[in-house]
Each structure stands twice: as structure tokens, then as C-alpha cells.
Amino acid sequence: MPVAGAVISTRQERAEILLAALRACPGVDIYGEDGKGNIIAVLEAASKDEMEALVRRLEAMDEVLHVGITFLAADGNSTDTGSE
Amino acid sequence: MKQSRRDFLKTSAALSAASYLGVQLPDTVSSALAAEGDSWHRGTCRLCGVGCRVELGVRSGKPFAIRGVADARTNYGFLCMKGMYFWHCIGHTDRLTHPLYRAKKSEAFKQISWDEALDIAATAFADVVKTHGSDAVAYYGSGQCLTEETYLFQKIMRGGLKTNNVEGNPRLCMASAVGGYLSSFGADEPIGGYSDLEKAHCFFIIGSNTAEAHPVLFRRIMRRKLDNPDTVKVINADPRVSQTSRIADKHLQFKPGSDLSLLNAMAKVIIDEKLYDTDFLANYAVFRQGAESTEVTFSEYVKFLEPYTPEAVAKICGGNISADDIREVARWFANSKGTVSLWCMGINQRIQGVWANNLINNLHILTGQLCKEGADSLSLTGQPNACGGVREAGGLCHILPGHRPVDNEKMRNQVEEAWGVPIGRIPAKPGRHTMDMFAAINSGAIRAIWVNCTSPAQSLPNCDLYIKGMEKDDCFIICTDIFPTRTTELANLILPAAFHFEKTGVYGCTERRSQITLKAVDAPGEAKPEVWIVREWAKRLAVKLDDPVIAHCVKDFDNLEEDYALPRAIWDEYTQKLTAGRDSDLRGASYPVLERMADGVQWPALTEEQALTGGTVKKFVKGLDPLADSLSQNDLPYQFYGPAHADRKLWVWLRAQADPSEVPDAEYPFYLSTGRIIDHWHTMSMTGRVPELLRANPYAHVEINPEDAKELGVQPGDMVEIRSRRGSNLLPAKIYEGPMKGMVFAYWHDQEKSRMINRVTKDDYDPGSKEPEFKICAVQIRRVAGPKPIKPFLL
Ligand code: SF4
């Protein structure tokens, strides 16, 4: 299950519209934005291929100028999930 | 609050994206950002050798956050989770805050005053010197000490106490890279740096899990690849598939220890297919072999490579490698507009570490993938100041400040003159290297040692053997540190040190870049900067040994306040007197210049004017490197003036395949390799105290290939014993298609005794670099029990 951190960029004046669209996207969590059209998002998908497909879908959205991945991790197996 | 691994990864992802923009997330600090009285203090990250620029947020004298800065040339605002969280060590309740002492190691520690502590430290060293001689005392430092600290410690040891028993933990991680650079290029440290990453067209990553050990640089590589998926190639060569492999166009999974063959096979393809750069070789290279560095011809080199056909080597390497894979990656390497190689402990921590470094460097010399944009042979550094402090400022037993070999009389005399100590004061013989130093504690030849900011009881290979010596009362051990460790457990005297941002000083990262961090907050309790501790200790030593030369070593630093004036005076002495005229010339990088230059300065930087441009991005290139211009001897654009090659040439080495020190056999049938995980750092004394990081990976485990696990009857989470000829560990199993079949992998951070993997590793070392072979040994694997609840452990 890959997890990615992303900066999704749009024009400053279109940020609100894009934020609303992204909130409706499965696998996308919004964590914040910088007021200049850059949105901080976390992406989750079931596989590497689905993650690529999700990024491609985001890139294809009308308001999106660029999807910049800043972090990408595959989940470890279930035996080391930090149980105390 | 419990946080799952997945939550942690999501937080990591969000923080990474936020730091890229220089934005704080609401649940971390955003409310604090707006508060009145906040101040942000520039400095570097305390942890790995990438040297990321950070800003520490301080309110009412207490830190509350750290953030990346978008225009930082090292990290463009990006920080990894460790970098995000290290500030939690400031003010942590476990901090050592008072000097602690016990005469015997069986006794409990008692809190004492600094006055008493310094007196005890001076008496202990003075008594040993009087009774057993100067070489019975030793200093063992760290690539995490500030340059000023390493420099002052080694000055007192060499110029004051007349011993070269000065070492540091970079011997365990970087020494083979030093040997490789010196013997291949004639000069230590990389020619280029990080700025090549955005211009490279091919990355050759070998023996490095960059994604976890150097995550911010990995992000730059990943960005380059993602932006140019068709024109940028990434080759990852490693016996283990890791997080780094995920961006690779090709992963070459070779049998541990067969990498010398692989590198020679790539060279053979380059020669056979005439992919080498004829002009570059004619102008700048010679071919050499053997202990005497005998020059040989190109034809002899070609003949030497004959056995390394891709077909033969594919068989030697095993794993998933075909002859065509070797051909293909050799072509990518040679034909790209710029190739950057990156490697780390997988290459360095080997008994053929220097040779493996040479063979990587060979590929760059053969193809001319050096000195131009986007091309470099870039050894990754593990610690934040292994380069700046230990390699450059005299922190190893055979090197004086300014890259001067100890066994060179002229060089020793230069240092003696700079210090104003009598000529002949520094012994001609190099001191004991790390493994020899701890063997000498075992044998009783070293009777007092100062361990500064590192934990050899956990980080030495085959550590049980050396713990036995350290446990004995016939070696007096002083530790300076911020938290209890497996080594402070063995100490007589523990001195509480100030942490990063609690003191002022300079770190020099992987790419020859020196950056200053100014004191921003007070150290807790009575913790003190090491420069103050050493100065005060030296003054007492001078009295106890009745030796005015020791007093002279710190005379210029007397009465200076320790938060700024003292480290500045030490830095000035080191840079102005000891780097002048050397390849690591830092005279232009004064404190005021470093304070102005947010990204620091890359050496050589001879003048303030040069330093204020950022220094030298590419060594040896006329027009970019002031020394290449001033030391130029011909019309060629590159001038290899490095101090180790009088012929001013790059040396292509004939280095044959040689086996590791220990290979699997019927009794110990598996290879063991060890390494890092992204959330933790070294012996976990810092990252283990950050709940967010500890929760993500609370204890070590052993990775086992699924095929091996099936044969061994091991299920995920089962408790598995790893046993070598030296010791054993009991670890939960992670079944993972990471290590190749026949190999297991374990993290080395865990402090719990049954999970300290260095009780299992082997302490044989490279005969040239003296760096041990942590990465390869032979072990048995046995399922002991089903899954058991495991608690994280910290001293
Ligand atoms: S990559 Fe290294 S220097 Fe950068 S934030 Fe992480 S630990 Fe610190």
C-alpha cells in the first residue's frame, strides 16, 4: 500500500475550486495549502500501479498545473506496525 | 496516543510536502507561528551527512519546531522525519545534566561538580601518561562533533600529550572512501557535489540505500528521474532490494562480496565496446597496480580485465544479473551526458573497501565522467561532520589538520609551527586506528580513553569482545554525551555535553560544504560545550604534568566565553593557520562569512571574496576552482593538483576480485548484512527518544527472503535466532523480498542486548583503510518461537 506526499499546484485564484475537487477524490487527503496555489496532499493507493494511475488522474484534472511528489513509501508488512 | 505505521507514513508524507513549501502543518506548529516572540534560528540538521539546512523555532527560550527553508541549496526545504524531529532531544527529560563519577565500574555513579570532574579527568590522563607513557591514552571522537571540537581535542592529544592516538567513528564508515579518493584522484572528498544531481542523466547507486539513509538526496534523485523518465537512467546495484530500488530502471542484485567483479566487468564492457574517453585518458590518467603503485600500460589493464567477461561475472554475481544487464548498465554509464555514482557503507564497510571505491572511480576516469556538469563519483557521508571535522580537521590517527599525513615530517613541522609547539613534538608514528585502539584496551596497552559523542560499545563490530576490555577497571573511560548509552554504562566519568543549537560551531557535509549553527537555546542543567570542557581539562593537565606546552596549546583561547568567542577563535586558528595552502583551504570562510552565507561555503575558498560566492562547486576545474587556476601547469582545463599524486594524474587501478573475510559454509550458511532504517539513526540514543520515530520502528527485526523463510519454516513475526561464530541475536522475522536468497538483513540501531546486531558482525578490516567489514559475515538462522510481544528498549 504506497503512501505519497504531494504538492499539487494550481493558479492561486483557482485553489479553492481545486481544493473542493480534491476533497471529493478517493485516496487524497488534504493537509494544507500555502496561499499561493500549492496544496499539500497525501495520496494513498492499493498498489504501485494504482498510485501511478491516481497521480495521472490528478495531473489530468482541469485545474492542476503540476503534481510534485515529495515523499513516497510502500507500507511494510503487518508484523512491524509499531505495537507497543 | 498510538500511531500505526500507516499513520506515521501519512504524517511523513504530509510533512515532507509541507516542508517543500516551507509551510508548517496546523497540528505541528502553525498556531505557534503567529505568536509574538517567536524567533527562527538558522543551522543544519543534527543527523545525517546530507547537511540539510533547517530553522529552529524558539519561543521563550524553548524550541517548538523545526522547518526547512525552500531556497536551501542542500535540501530545497525538504527534510526527512528524523530531521523534522531531532529538536525533541533539546530539553528532553533523559538528558545528562551533571557530571557523574565512579572510581570503579562496579560502583554507582555519583553526581559531582565540574571542578571535581575536570580535576579527575586531568588526573586520570596525567597519571597514565606518567606511568605508562603518552601512547597509553587515547581520544575516540565522532563525525557528529563540531569541527572546533575535533580540532581542539586532537591538538591537545598530539601537541599537548604527544600521542597520535586520535580516532573517530568515521573510521567505521568513511575511511575506505578516503582511501579510495586519495588513491584514485590524489585528493580526499568529492570533486563535485549535489548540484550535479539535477544535471545528471545516469545515476549509478551501489551499496547505498539512499532512500532511507540519505532521504533528502534521494528525493532530489527521484525528482530528476520522475521529471525525465525516458532520458534519465537509474541503476541500483545491491544484494538487497530496498526503498532505493523503486526508482531504478535496473536493479542488479549481486551476491554479497561479488561487486569487485561486477565493477571490473562494467569496465571491460566499456573497453571492449570502446566507450571510454580517449582524450580524457590520454590527458589525465595512468594505470597502476600493486602495493608499490607500479605504473602499467593500457594493454596490461585490458589483459587484466580479460577474465571479467559479462558472462563469467553474471555467474559470479548470482542473483538476478544477466550478462546483457551488465552490458546495458555499462553503456548507460558511459554514454550518458553526465553520470553520478553514489555509494555508502555497502562499499566502504568491506575488507576490500578501498579497492571497491577504486573500481567505482575507475569507471568515471575511463569514461571521463568527472569534472563536467552532472558527472561525479560521489561518496555519501553517514554523519553530519565526518568530512568537515574528522577528515579535514585531524580526527584520524594518521591525518593531521588540513589533510596532512602524520608520517610526513614536513607536514608535522608545519602543524607544530602553526601551534607554536617545539618542532618534533608530534610523534612521527601514526597512532592506533579504531579497531587497534579497542584491542589495545583489551590488552591493557591503553589505560585511559576519552569517548566523545559516540557509543563504541554498540557500534563496534563483534562488540562483545571489546566490551570485555572496556568493562575492566584498568582502563579509565571518560564519556562526553547528551544521553545515556551502552558506552556511558562502561564509563568512570560522564560529562554532560551541550547539544546542537545549544552551542556554536561548524559542520562540513558530504559535498565539502561548511555551515555554521549558532547557539539558539541554553543547554539543560550544567551541560557544557565540549570546547569549554577540553580547554579547562587541558589547563589542569598542564599543571598536573608540569608541561607548559600543554598550557600553550590553549593559551590563545583562555578566558573566551564558550558560546561564540571560543569556538570562533578555534575556527579562526584552524582555518587561517592549518588550511592555508592546502586543498581544503577555508581561509575565506570566517565566522562572519558563514553567518552571512545561509548555505555555507564549499572549499577551497581562499579569500572572503571567493567564500561569499559560495566557494568551489567543482574541484580541479579552471575557472571554477581557484586552486586549479593558481596551480595550473599546462593549458588543459582540469588540473589534478591533489596532494597524494605527485604526477598530477588520476589513477586507474587494477584490482582483482577477492572474497570477503567470511563467506557462508555448511555450518553458517547465510550471509548477514546490516544497515539503517529511515526512522532511526545510529545507536538510537536520539531518535529512540522521539515517540513518533520510535513508534514507527520500535525494535530491530531480521529481513528474510520468502524462499528462505519457507525452507526454514519461518512465518512473519516468528522469533529467529541469528548466530555467528562471535555471538547471537534474537529478532522477529520480517518476510520480505528484499535480501536475495541466502542472505538476511538486520538493522543495527537497537540498544537491547539480544537485538544488538554488532554482537554478531565480524571485526576484520580493510588492510588499507582499517575499516571493518560490517556488511558481510556468515550466520546460522533458526526459528526459535512464534511471534512474541516485544517492547522497545532504551537505556
Ligand atoms: S536527510 Fe539527513 S540532514 Fe536531511 S533532514 Fe534527514 S537526517 Fe537531516
Side-chain angles (χ1 to χ4, degrees):
Chain A
M1 290 272 287
V3 175
V7 176
I8 304 175
S9 304
T10 185
R11 286 183 194 82
Q12 194 173 339
E13 66 279 10
R14 309 294 292 171
E16 282 307 317
I17 298 165
L18 180 59
L19 274 168
L22 289 173
R23 285 198 179 100
C25 270
V28 180
D29 273 354
I30 305 301
Y31 277 69
E33 49 130 356
D34 68 352
K36 297 179 201 156
N38 294 307
I39 295 163
I40 298 157
V42 171
L43 316 180
E44 288 183 276
S47 67
K48 208 173 130 217
D49 290 349
E50 284 191 27
M51 176 61 79
E52 280 173 22
L54 173 59
V55 173
R56 274 201 299 276
R57 269 203 311 280
L58 294 174
E59 283 172 338
M61 287 171 77
D62 279 352
E63 310 296 343
V64 172
L65 293 177
H66 180 71
V67 180
I69 304 293
T70 61
F71 180 96
L72 186 58
D75 235 344
N77 84 5
S78 57
T79 58
D80 70 332
T81 48
S83 52
E84 295 109 316
Chain B
M1 193 179 76
K2 186 176 162 180
Q3 178 180 251
S4 70
R5 172 71 177 161
R6 190 149 194 84
D7 290 339
F8 176 78
L9 290 176
K10 288 180 71 176
T11 313
S12 302
L15 282 170
S16 71
S19 69
Y20 182 74
L21 297 174
V23 167
Q24 292 294 327
L25 295 178
D27 60 343
T28 52
V29 293
S30 64
S31 56
L33 274 174
E36 222 174 280
D38 294 351
S39 54
W40 289 91
H41 301 257
R42 193 185 80 215
T44 55
C45 173
R46 167 63 178 74
L47 298 176
C48 88
V50 174
C52 294
R53 174 152 50 112
V54 300
E55 286 187 349
L56 180 75
V58 176
R59 187 191 318 133
S60 309
K62 300 255 182 283
F64 67 88
I66 215 149
R67 67 183 182 194
V69 185
D71 70 351
R73 282 162 72 170
T74 45
N75 54 319
Y76 298 110
F78 190 89
L79 298 174
C80 75
M81 293 302 288
K82 298 188 294 287
M84 285 278 180
Y85 283 122
F86 81 83
W87 64 273
H88 287 268
C89 296
I90 300 171
H92 194 284
T93 49
D94 290 351
R95 284 287 296 274
L96 295 165
T97 50
H98 299 279
L100 302 170
Y101 173 65
R102 58 184 175 183
K104 286 194 175 305
K105 290 171 186 166
S106 54
E107 295 170 357
F109 281 106
K110 277 198 311 246
Q111 188 176 313
I112 57 172
S113 69
W114 269 111
D115 210 38
E116 290 170 291
L118 292 163
D119 221 52
I120 289 166
T123 304
F125 268 61
D127 286 353
V128 170
V129 168
K130 281 186 217 159
T131 318
H132 300 280
S134 288
D135 285 337
V137 297
Y139 167 75
Y140 185 65
S142 165
Q144 298 156 63
C145 300
L146 296 164
T147 301
E148 295 84 342
E149 294 163 1
T150 297
Y151 173 78
L152 189 56
F153 259 118
Q154 64 85 39
K155 181 181 182 187
I156 303 306
M157 296 301 290
R158 299 182 203 272
L161 291 173
K162 295 182 276 185
T163 178
N164 288 312
N165 282 344
V166 172
E167 271 286 284
N169 59 10
R171 177 73 69 185
L172 305 179
C173 59
M174 299 296 307
S176 296
V178 175
Y181 276 137
L182 284 168
S183 51
S184 291
F185 303 154
D188 189 20
E189 304 198 40
I191 292 171
Y194 305 158
S195 59
D196 290 308
L197 301 178
E198 279 76 26
K199 294 165 194 143
H201 291 262
C202 176
F203 294 98
F204 180 50
I205 305 173
I206 180 165
S208 159
N209 179 6
T210 321
E212 301 205 56
H214 299 88
V216 168
L217 284 189
F218 181 75
R219 197 212 141 259
R220 290 176 66 165
I221 298 164
M222 180 175 81
R223 191 67 264 157
R224 174 77 179 152
K225 171 67 187 168
L226 294 178
D227 287 347
N228 305 276
D230 301 326
T231 54
V232 170
K233 296 291 185 198
V234 178
I235 307 156
N236 187 200
D238 202 299
R240 174 173 173 251
V241 175
S242 69
Q243 294 291 312
T244 303
S245 326
R246 66 182 189 244
I247 59 159
D249 293 274
K250 196 166 283 291
H251 183 98
L252 301 174
Q253 196 170 25
F254 58 85
K255 196 171 79 187
S258 62
D259 42 2
L260 276 75
S261 289
L262 175 64
L263 293 161
N264 275 330
M266 288 174 67
K268 179 162 173 58
V269 173
I270 287 165
I271 299 288
D272 287 352
E273 299 190 6
K274 303 214 173 337
L275 304 176
Y276 52 91
D277 185 329
T278 317
D279 289 344
F280 191 87
L281 285 176
N283 287 331
Y284 302 115
V286 292
F287 298 83
R288 293 191 185 269
Q289 71 175 8
E292 304 300 320
S293 311
T294 310
E295 188 167 344
V296 297
T297 63
F298 179 70
S299 315
E300 285 172 292
Y301 178 60
V302 173
K303 191 163 172 39
F304 161 81
L305 290 175
E306 265 173 18
Y308 297 98
T309 63
E311 280 73 16
V313 169
K315 279 201 196 104
I316 293 169
C317 290
N320 66 358
I321 300 177
S322 71
D324 282 345
D325 288 333
I326 297 173
R327 288 196 181 87
E328 188 166 33
V329 298
R331 288 173 198 141
W332 288 348
F333 188 113
N335 291 332
S336 100
K337 280 188 241 162
T339 296
V340 174
S341 292
L342 302 114
W343 69 95
C344 201
M345 301 312 144
I347 291 293
N348 295 341
Q349 290 178 332
R350 300 278 312 288
I351 62 163
Q352 293 88 19
V354 174
W355 288 22
N357 271 265
N358 287 146
L359 295 186
I360 297 169
N361 295 335
N362 276 2
L363 298 176
H364 285 269
I365 301 170
L366 289 171
T367 54
Q369 293 284 10
L370 286 171
C371 297
K372 60 182 185 181
E373 279 197 341
D376 200 30
S377 192
L378 183 63
S379 149
L380 294 169
T381 317
Q383 299 185 86
N385 203 29
C387 290
V390 175
R391 278 158 87 163
E392 294 161 24
L396 293 171
C397 67
H398 64 297
I399 307 175
L400 298 166
H403 289 156
R404 291 175 171 88
V406 166
D407 59 9
N408 181 316
E409 187 179 8
K410 193 173 133 210
M411 299 283 159
R412 287 197 308 279
N413 294 347
Q414 286 173 1
V415 176
E416 287 156 348
E417 273 168 29
W419 288 346
V421 301
I423 295 299
R425 182 85 180 178
I426 301 172
K429 199 170 149 237
R432 291 181 188 272
H433 59 82
T434 295
M435 298 315 298
D436 193 25
M437 193 174 264
F438 286 91
I441 293 176
N442 278 356
S443 71
I446 286 183
R447 318 286 290 205
I449 186 167
W450 193 313
V451 178
N452 188 21
C453 193
T454 183
S455 182
Q458 188 178 347
S459 59
L460 290 175
N462 190 13
C463 58
D464 280 352
L465 177 65
Y466 302 100
I467 288 171
K468 279 192 194 115
M470 289 187 268
E471 274 171 350
K472 288 192 285 187
D473 274 322
D474 56 8
C475 183
F476 190 92
I477 299 181
I478 304 174
C479 284
T480 5
D481 219 316
I482 63 163
F483 288 124
T485 67
R486 282 286 176 203
T487 308
T488 61
E489 276 190 318
L490 307 172
N492 297 90
L493 182 63
I494 302 174
L495 303 176
F499 185 59
H500 208 49
F501 282 104
E502 296 170 357
K503 57 188 176 184
T504 294
V506 178
Y507 271 173
C509 72
T510 291
E511 56 163 358
R512 297 175 283 106
R513 182 182 298 281
S514 295
Q515 300 177 91
I516 195 167
T517 300
L518 298 176
K519 179 180 170 175
V521 293
D522 287 331
E526 296 180 350
K528 284 284 197 182
E530 284 92 325
V531 286
W532 178 88
I533 299 171
V534 191
R535 180 187 68 188
E536 298 305 310
W537 170 66
K539 281 157 59 180
R540 284 166 165 83
L541 262 181
V543 175
K544 294 197 188 292
L545 286 169
D546 190 20
D547 189 340
V549 178
I550 302 176
H552 178 80
C553 287
V554 289
K555 191 172 134 280
D556 289 348
F557 309 135
D558 210 8
N559 295 321
L560 297 175
E561 60 79 28
E562 68 253 29
D563 290 335
Y564 183 86
L566 176 57
R568 178 175 172 168
I570 297 167
W571 177 258
D572 281 347
E573 176 181 297
Y574 161 59
T575 53
Q576 304 310 311
K577 293 185 178 173
L578 274 307
T579 72
R582 304 298 298 162
D583 64 339
S584 56
D585 201 321
L586 269 165
R587 277 175 294 171
S590 62
Y591 263 32
V593 167
L594 290 174
E595 286 168 57
R596 272 178 66 185
M597 298 295 290
D599 286 310
V601 175
Q602 286 177 285
W603 58 257
L606 285 58
T607 63
E608 292 208 343
E609 196 185 0
Q610 282 162 4
L612 286 167
T613 66
T616 300
V617 174
K618 280 270 183 203
K619 281 198 298 184
F620 305 140
V621 179
K622 282 187 190 169
L624 295 178
D625 173 354
L627 289 176
D629 291 315
S630 63
L631 299 173
S632 174
Q633 291 186 346
N634 50 44
D635 292 337
L636 292 170
Y638 309 146
Q639 299 289 322
F640 296 104
Y641 55 76
H645 288 183
D647 63 359
R648 295 170 67 108
K649 296 283 189 191
L650 305 174
W651 294 1
V652 176
W653 282 96
L654 284 61
R655 303 291 202 201
Q657 170 66 34
D659 276 342
S661 166
E662 193 174 61
V663 291
D665 54 22
E667 204 181 346
Y668 295 90
F670 286 89
Y671 285 105
L672 166 69
S673 191
T674 65
R676 294 189 186 191
I677 193 162
I678 190 164
D679 319 293
H680 288 302
W681 205 69
H682 282 202
T683 58
M684 228 167 90
S685 60
M686 292 182 283
T687 51
R689 288 185 164 84
V690 177
E692 291 84 348
L693 299 175
L694 187 67
R695 277 197 296 263
N697 266 294
Y699 43 78
H701 53 252
V702 55
E703 289 179 1
I704 305 177
N705 181 285
E707 279 187 53
D708 289 327
K710 201 170 163 198
E711 282 170 24
L712 292 162
V714 175
Q715 299 289 325
D718 281 357
M719 296 306 292
V720 168
E721 183 193 65
I722 309 177
R723 177 173 292 280
S724 73
R725 291 179 175 87
R726 295 152 296 280
S728 66
N729 267 205
L730 192 60
L731 295 171
K734 177 172 179 174
I735 315 300
Y736 173 57
E737 200 116 24
M740 67 192 296
K741 184 169 160 39
M743 169 194 174
V744 295
F745 177 89
Y747 304 117
W748 70 283
H749 311 292
D750 206 317
Q751 295 185 353
E752 207 281 327
K753 278 205 172 134
S754 67
R755 302 194 295 264
M756 266 169 49
I757 200 63
N758 280 326
R759 301 176 72 198
V760 180
T761 52
K762 195 158 192 315
D763 49 351
D764 279 0
Y765 51 82
D766 183 302
S769 68
K770 321 294 185 208
E771 178 165 344
E773 190 157 60
F774 286 92
K775 288 294 175 204
I776 304 176
C777 72
V779 293
Q780 303 167 347
I781 301 294
R782 186 169 68 92
R783 180 185 181 276
V784 173
K788 288 228 164 95
I790 298 175
K791 282 203 158 57
F793 176 87
L794 274 181
L795 281 166

